Structures are given as C-alpha cells and as structure tokens.
C-alpha cells in the first residue's frame, strides 16, 4: 500500500473548486423563462427561443437561464432527420439545435430517440467557451432518456458523442439514461460536469479510438450513483485509426467517481475505466475564473478519485477493470473503498482487475 498525505490538500482544493464552479453555473441570472412544450411549442423551437431570448414559433421568449418544461409525462420525440450541422464538429449532423445559453430541460420521462440506424447524427449538444467566459453555456437535463444517437462508424473524428457532446460548457445529468447509442457521451473542456443517478447501458462503438460510453477530456467532472453496464466496442482493426479507449475514458481531467457501478462492459482495449494523465501539459488557452489555477490538464493540478464503487465482470484485452497511466508530474489516481473483482484481461490475466502502468497510485481503505 502506498500512502501520500500530500494528496489530501489537493482533494480539498479540487472539491472546493468544483463546488464553486457548480454554484456559479446555477446562479448566472435571477431572471428566467419557463418555456412549456405543447402542441404550439416544439423542443426545437424551445431551444431556439432559449438561445436567442426571442419568441420562436409558439414558444415564449427566453430570458437568461431558461427552463424547458415537459408537463406531459413520458413524451417521446423521435427524430427522423437532422436539424442541421453540429457547431462542434463541422462534419457532423445534429438532431436538435446546439444549446448555446443556460438551459434546464425538465424531461418528466422524456425520450429523445432516433430509430433509423442508417441515419447518422448526434441527438443533442451544448457548446460555449467556459474557460474564456463561464457565463456562456450550460445544460441541466433531468429525467430524460437518449437513445439511437450515432455520428458515424469509422474515422478519428466520428463516433464522438453520438447521444450528447458538451464542449466548453457546463453539463449536469440528473436521472438520465443513455441507451443503445454509438458513443454515448463526450465531454471536452468542461469546467463543471455532474452525472448523478443516471444509467448508461447497451451503448457501443465501431470506432477504433473512442469509448463506447463516456469520454471525459481536459475537464472537471463528478460521477455519482450512476450505473455503466453492458456497453461494448464492436472493434474493427484499421491501422490508421487504432487507439486506446475504455468504457469510461478519462484523459487529463479532474474526476471523482463515487457510489457507482461498472459491470458487464467489453470495450475491447482497456475495459471499464482508463485513467490517462497524458505525457505533456495541456493547459487551455484561457484560464478559468471559476477554478483559478486548478484547470483540468494543467501540469499536475488534477486528480482522479474512485471511491465506494463496484467494478466487476468487465472484459478487455489489456485490463478488464482499471488501467492507470498516471505520472507524478501530470496527475494521480486514488482508489478508496471499492470492489474491483471478477474482471478479465484476455492478454494479461495478472492485470485483469487493476493494471497500474504509472507511478502515482494511492490505495486507501479496503479495495
């Protein structure tokens, strides 16, 4: 066992930083519009009204931080064609307008789906420039299921966030489900992402690089009381697009995972969780007024902590459970009070549950 008391101040600072970021993201404005979805106001029009603070179709104008509300329970919106081009990836299409302001979606059992597998477009995205200006964009989505999202099968840019992509934006998923998407969620340079009481299951990817389920890159994120189960990579080897991935792929980020379950996943390369510190400093071009110097990916100022979670029954070639590539000068991994067992590494059975390739791993409690 390796203990490192110097890690504890980092934990406190990280928790404080993320808490401040979340507080700021939920208190941008004292004014808000309550935009109700009905026969006169569609979800597409409601997002446009919130983005532009103007009347669109039968929807009232957005005002500051807006709430899009589904009063009718268990509504299903089946997207039959893309709305237009993504504002994140020019080559991708998107089913709903990009959210570029501060929006809460009260889903009330909402399902957003795309049933035709031949149609390739992302379902939903939120995009801003939070490191330059934390007031730009955020999405808090509740009680909603996203299914059938798919931005493509092969290539280095495709398969990113088939269901949802958060780019330089705040994201809060609460009681959401991501089911049968091609790469469910991609988070990039988010100062404050929270995933709580949510489920990711039966997602997949044909892409050789990206995860089937969750990718977190150069961001700050909290994942709690969430299940990630039965996701898989349908891998097709192509030398020019081969790369590492895991069901939860964490790269150069501050992340806490707690009270969550990763089970039955087969992500071909690195199994359930990959923690990769990277080998260079990835400081963003702007500093964050919310986080001060605690910017994800800046030197060794970030940390991944996994606690009180169950990681079992996952399969991959290199490490079925957790693969840690954390270097002292770039980042660290702390494991505390987890159940990590019954995972399978087909090419390295001794590292089936934990494959530690770095030099900054701390074990606390009974893992």
């Amino acid at each position: 066992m390796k203990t490192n008391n110097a890690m504890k101040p980092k934990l406190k600072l990280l928790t404080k930083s993320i808490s401040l970021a979340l507080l700021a993201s939920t208190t941008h404005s004292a004014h808000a519009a309550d935009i109700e979805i009905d026969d006169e106001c569609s979800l597409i029009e409601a997002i446009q009204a919130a983005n532009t603070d103007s009347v669109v179709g039968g929807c009232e104008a957005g005002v500051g931080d807006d709430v899009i509300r589904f009063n009718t329970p268990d509504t299903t919106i089946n997207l039959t064609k893309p709305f237009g081009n993504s504002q994140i990836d020019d080559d991708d299409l998107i089913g709903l307008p990009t959210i570029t302001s501060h929006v809460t979606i009260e889903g009330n059992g909402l399902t957003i789906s795309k049933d035709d597998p031949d149609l390739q477009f992302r379902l939903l995205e939120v995009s801003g420039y939070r490191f330059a200006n934390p007031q730009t964009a955020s999405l808090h989505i509740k009680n909603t299921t996203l299914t059938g999202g798919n931005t493509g099968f092969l290539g280095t840019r495709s398969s990113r966030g088939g269901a949802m992509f958060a780019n330089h934006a705040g994201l809060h998923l609460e009681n959401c489900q991501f089911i049968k998407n091609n790469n469910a969620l991609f988070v990039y340079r988010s100062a404050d992402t929270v995933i709580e009481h949510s489920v990711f299951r039966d997602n997949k990817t044909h892409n050789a690089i990206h995860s089937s389920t969750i990718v977190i890159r150069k961001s700050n994120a909290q994942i709690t009381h969430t299940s990630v189960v039965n996701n898989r990579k349908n891998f097709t080897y192509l030398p020019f697009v081969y790369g590492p991935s895991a069901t939860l792929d964490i790269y150069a980020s501050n992340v806490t995972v707690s009270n969550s379950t990763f089970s039955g996943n087969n992500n071909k390369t690195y199994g359930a969780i990959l923690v990769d510190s990277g080998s260079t400093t990835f400081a963003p071009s702007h500093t964050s007024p919310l986080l001060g110097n605690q910017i994800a990916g800046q030197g060794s100022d970030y940390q991944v902590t996994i606690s009180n979670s169950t990681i079992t029954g996952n399969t991959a070639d290199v490490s079925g459970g957790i693969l840690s590539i954390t270097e002292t000068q770039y980042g660290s991994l702390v494991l505390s009070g987890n159940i990590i067992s019954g995972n399978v590494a087909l090419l390295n059975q001794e590292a089936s549950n934990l494959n530690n390739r770095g030099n900054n791993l701390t074990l606390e409690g009974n893992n």
Side-chain angles (χ1 to χ4, degrees):
M1 175 186 295
K2 174 185 176 183
T3 59
N4 187 350
N5 291 330
M7 303 295 295
K8 294 182 179 179
K10 282 188 177 183
L11 274 171
K12 293 179 181 179
L13 183 56
L14 171 60
T15 302
K16 181 179 178 181
S17 298
I18 293 180
S19 298
L20 288 172
L22 291 173
L23 177 63
S25 71
T26 55
T27 57
H28 299 292
S29 172
H31 304 285
D34 200 334
I35 305 173
E36 296 184 8
I37 303 298
D38 54 28
D39 292 340
E40 303 298 323
C41 176
S42 70
L43 179 56
I44 287 177
E45 293 169 334
I47 293 173
Q48 291 174 315
N51 284 340
T52 61
D53 287 346
S54 61
V55 174
V56 178
C59 302
E60 66 176 281
V63 181
D65 298 3
D66 301 311
V67 178
I68 297 174
R69 192 180 305 278
F70 286 79
N71 290 326
T72 301
D74 303 325
T75 300
T76 296
I77 296 176
N78 184 30
L79 302 173
T80 59
K81 61 181 181 180
F83 169 80
N85 289 96
S86 164
Q87 291 192 25
I88 298 173
D89 287 329
D90 293 338
D91 295 334
D92 288 339
L93 298 173
I94 186 170
L96 296 166
T98 302
I99 293 171
T100 56
S101 63
H102 296 292
V103 173
T104 295
I105 298 178
E106 295 275 5
N108 195 15
L110 169 68
T111 295
I112 302 174
S113 67
K114 179 186 68 62
D115 290 337
D116 188 345
D118 294 329
L119 290 175
Q120 296 183 8
F121 58 83
R122 180 175 298 126
L123 301 180
L124 185 60
E125 66 185 28
V126 52
S127 183
Y129 294 94
R130 294 185 63 77
F131 284 106
N133 177 6
Q135 304 298 315
T136 302
S138 64
L139 170 63
H140 185 178
I141 184 167
K142 306 178 184 180
N143 304 310
T144 297
T145 297
L146 289 89
T147 182
N150 173 18
T151 56
F153 290 99
L154 296 172
T156 57
R157 292 178 62 83
S158 62
S159 296
R160 301 200 304 175
M164 184 181 293
F165 199 134
N167 174 51
H168 290 80
L171 178 64
H172 189 170
L173 305 177
E174 184 177 352
N175 293 311
C176 290
Q177 296 190 71
F178 288 69
I179 301 172
K180 295 183 178 179
N181 300 285
N182 185 40
N183 180 260
L185 175 64
F186 202 104
V187 176
Y188 181 66
R189 291 196 187 279
S190 171
D192 49 321
T193 287
V194 174
I195 303 171
E196 60 174 327
H197 298 284
S198 294
V199 175
F200 294 78
R201 66 171 174 86
D202 298 321
N203 300 287
K204 63 182 180 180
T205 184
H206 298 273
N207 187 286
I209 294 178
H210 296 306
S211 164
S212 61
T213 312
I214 304 170
V215 178
I216 299 175
R217 297 181 68 85
K218 307 176 190 177
S219 299
N220 286 351
Q222 298 181 38
I223 301 172
T224 184
H225 295 93
T226 289
S227 295
V228 182
V229 297
N230 299 331
N231 303 284
R232 66 181 297 109
K233 170 180 278 188
N234 293 336
F235 180 77
T236 300
Y237 177 74
L238 290 176
F240 55 88
V241 295
Y242 177 76
S245 67
T247 304
L248 170 59
D249 191 337
I250 300 170
Y251 184 84
S253 296
N254 291 316
V255 179
T256 61
V257 179
S258 63
N259 301 292
S260 295
T261 298
F262 295 79
S263 180
N265 301 291
N266 184 344
N267 207 54
K268 183 60 180 177
T269 318
Y270 292 153
I273 301 175
L274 167 64
V275 180
D276 186 352
S277 65
S279 57
T280 57
T281 300
F282 288 99
S285 57
H286 303 280
T287 58
S288 170
L290 299 182
L291 301 175
N293 291 327
Q294 296 296 306
I295 299 170
Q298 181 170 325
S300 59
D301 289 336
Y302 74 91
Q303 178 175 298
V304 175
T305 300
I306 303 172
S307 64
N308 303 317
S309 295
T310 299
I311 303 165
T312 184
N314 304 285
T315 302
D317 285 346
V318 179
S319 178
I322 299 174
L323 174 64
S324 173
I325 311 174
T326 52
E327 302 297 333
T328 302
Q329 66 270 39
Y330 302 121
S332 58
L333 171 63
V334 176
L335 300 177
S336 176
N338 302 290
I339 298 173
I340 308 172
S341 67
N343 301 288
V344 176
L346 298 175
L347 301 181
N348 186 6
Q349 294 183 6
E350 293 182 356
S352 288
N353 293 308
L354 175 60
N355 188 340
N356 180 27
R357 293 185 173 183
N359 57 14
N360 206 357
L361 171 66
T362 300
L363 300 178
E364 297 178 348
N366 298 313
N367 288 287

